[in-house]
Amino acid sequence: FTFNFDLVAKNAAESKNIREIIKRFKFHMSPDLGKPAGGNRYFNYPDNFLIGLFSPSQDYLFKISTCVLTGCEVDYGATSIPSFFADTGAPVAIKLTLTFKELEIMTKNRINQGY
């Protein structure tokens, strides 16, 4: 699943919050380096995400099973011309594209259950 977000900061403080949101997504999509076991290092799995879609009528939306974030694209030129706050150099508009992959193999039975 891919979700696109247009994030526009009204001031440098909001731009700082947007930066933190992006940092958290990148952090939680990445593996962690595990502790050595017998001298060998290994990776711990990235974090899982639970995503829910909500609407006044749930008849048209599907459920999403447990996912991992496989892509986090950040476009600092979301307005076709990159714009930055003069005092901090923080970007004004950012397009964030997040791509998720379900960990569960979807079967016809699960799709009949609303997934």
Side-chain angles (χ1 to χ4, degrees):
F1 304 97
T2 300
F3 298 98
N4 296 304
F5 300 95
D6 291 319
L7 308 171
V8 180
K10 294 178 186 170
N11 53 48
E14 284 187 5
S15 202
K16 183 178 177 182
N17 289 337
I18 291 170
R19 181 180 65 187
E20 187 61 30
I21 290 168
I22 293 168
K23 182 179 176 182
R24 286 182 185 256
F25 275 118
K26 289 177 69 174
F27 176 85
H28 290 288
M29 76 177 283
S30 301
D32 188 18
L33 190 57
K35 295 179 180 162
N40 296 324
R41 292 206 170 263
Y42 60 92
F43 286 111
N44 291 321
Y45 294 111
D47 294 331
N48 293 341
F49 289 80
L50 299 175
I51 301 170
L53 303 174
F54 299 97
S55 167
S57 175
Q58 293 296 110
D59 295 338
Y60 296 96
L61 302 178
F62 52 88
K63 298 176 191 174
I64 299 175
S65 185
T66 304
C67 296
V68 291
L69 180 58
T70 59
C72 178
E73 296 179 30
V74 182
D75 179 3
Y76 294 105
T79 58
S80 73
I81 299 174
S83 302
F84 302 91
F85 289 101
D87 55 339
T88 64
V92 174
I94 295 173
K95 181 174 186 148
L96 178 63
T97 303
L98 302 174
T99 304
F100 295 89
K101 181 169 181 64
E102 289 177 303
L103 296 174
E104 174 183 3
I105 295 174
M106 284 296 121
T107 63
K108 291 179 180 179
N109 184 43
R110 288 298 273 165
I111 291 173
N112 282 337
Q113 294 173 0
Y115 285 87

